Amino acid sequence: MKLYQVSGYQEMCQKAAALLCSQIAEKPNSVLGLATGSTPIGVYKLLVQAHERGEVSFGPLTTFNLDEYCGLGKSDPQSYYYYMNENLFGSVDIDSTRAFIPNGKAEDIAAECAAYEEKITAAGGIDLQILGIGNNGHIAFNEPGEFFEKHTHCVDLDEKTIAANARFFTHPEDVPRRAITMGIKTIFAARKILLLANGAGKKDIMQLALHGPITPKVPASILQLHPDLTVIWSAE
Ligand code: GLP
């Protein structure tokens, strides 16, 4: 594990954006795994700026987002589809036919999950996966539990996650109770993983995830075993 402990959100974003730009420079047709949440917003902003300066092209990339809420459509401002367009896709030259996000409105969720796995495999697997971490140690929407869910699946969100994500919704009761998420094996299969964490609120869970026992009760703890994990952590 490469651990960069940085001072403040901006430094975390700069370091992460620089790593992503190097990945794209080294392999312009990389397959990237993308995350949502508040943590990567500043990283995406820097990538948009780098694109505007002509330093990076998203055209040859393929991307797979980690997760999506069940029941939210593409035009719903709380959907991760909407978030990606707002924060990145709408401002760069990405080929939207190769920017994949699970369909939260799919009629057959199990089929959607299986098809998502197949698309990742068909793309040759993920070269670099960006991750945030939930307050309860979740990665993507893999919630604490008794075992690690392997593949893309539908999950009942943890009460802690629903409470944490209520800040993005006008009414707390609007937070969806279910989501589609890549599984632990899907995430772990990425050739490189970049874990981002920001703020004092994530200090205890990060300590546990990086240095505690490897357990499905702290899903991010599995990352300790990944052969190419980079962590950029601002604990301020
Ligand atoms: C959400 C997402 C995760 C994200 C996490 C942390 O629930 N599904 O992918 O890492 O929350 O969010 P934040 O970055 O806002 O702390």
Side-chain angles (χ1 to χ4, degrees):
M1 166 173 69
K2 269 181 241 136
L3 172 61
Y4 298 97
Q5 284 186 281
V6 297
S7 336
Y9 183 65
Q10 205 44 35
E11 200 181 330
M12 186 206 76
C13 292
Q14 276 158 356
K15 182 101 199 138
L19 285 178
L20 283 160
C21 286
S22 315
Q23 171 70 35
I24 298 170
E26 268 167 39
K27 187 178 175 192
N29 64 346
S30 288
V31 179
L32 298 184
L34 300 178
T36 51
S38 54
T39 308
I41 288 179
V43 181
Y44 296 147
K45 209 172 263 175
L46 291 173
L47 290 178
V48 169
Q49 288 167 6
H51 171 68
E52 285 167 355
R53 290 193 301 268
E55 292 166 13
V56 64
S57 170
F58 290 73
L61 295 177
T62 298
T63 64
F64 287 93
N65 264 76
L66 286 167
D67 45 16
E68 178 61 285
Y69 288 115
C70 287
L72 299 193
K74 296 179 174 180
S75 57
D76 192 311
Q78 311 303 341
S79 73
Y80 286 163
Y81 185 96
Y82 194 95
Y83 167 111
M84 289 310 300
N85 270 323
E86 280 289 294
N87 291 298
L88 185 66
F89 296 163
S91 310
V92 296
D93 59 339
I94 197 138
D95 177 346
S96 59
T97 63
R98 287 203 313 274
F100 298 100
I101 303 178
N103 176 9
K105 293 274 262 187
E107 273 179 30
D108 185 341
I109 296 279
E112 172 67 15
C113 293
Y116 204 67
E117 284 288 329
E118 279 164 25
K119 280 181 216 158
I120 296 172
T121 307
I126 292 170
D127 290 304
L128 173 59
Q129 175 67 60
I130 306 171
L131 290 178
I133 182 169
N135 296 329
N136 61 1
H138 74 217
I139 46 176
F141 270 135
N142 289 276
E143 299 285 32
E146 295 306 314
F147 55 91
F148 292 110
E149 286 267 13
K150 296 191 193 71
H151 299 112
T152 301
H153 61 286
C154 181
V155 63
D156 290 324
L157 298 177
D158 196 278
E159 283 309 320
K160 269 195 178 174
T161 301
I162 293 169
N165 289 2
R167 70 200 141 116
F168 299 114
F169 291 77
T170 320
H171 306 293
E173 61 275 17
D174 293 343
V175 186
R177 268 34 194 177
R178 301 174 83 206
I180 296 176
T181 179
M182 278 188 202
I184 292 293
K185 189 172 178 187
T186 328
I187 294 169
F188 204 82
R191 289 181 265 283
K192 297 179 197 167
I193 293 184
L194 174 57
L195 172 65
L196 306 177
N198 174 58
K202 298 278 171 74
K203 209 170 170 177
D204 293 347
I205 197 65
M206 277 296 283
Q207 204 62 38
L208 210 53
L210 299 185
H211 306 295
I214 296 166
T215 163
K217 293 188 167 61
V218 182
S221 63
I222 194 80
L223 299 175
Q224 294 177 37
L225 298 178
H226 195 275
D228 195 335
L229 171 68
T230 300
V231 181
I232 311 177
W233 180 11
S234 168
E236 289 167 19

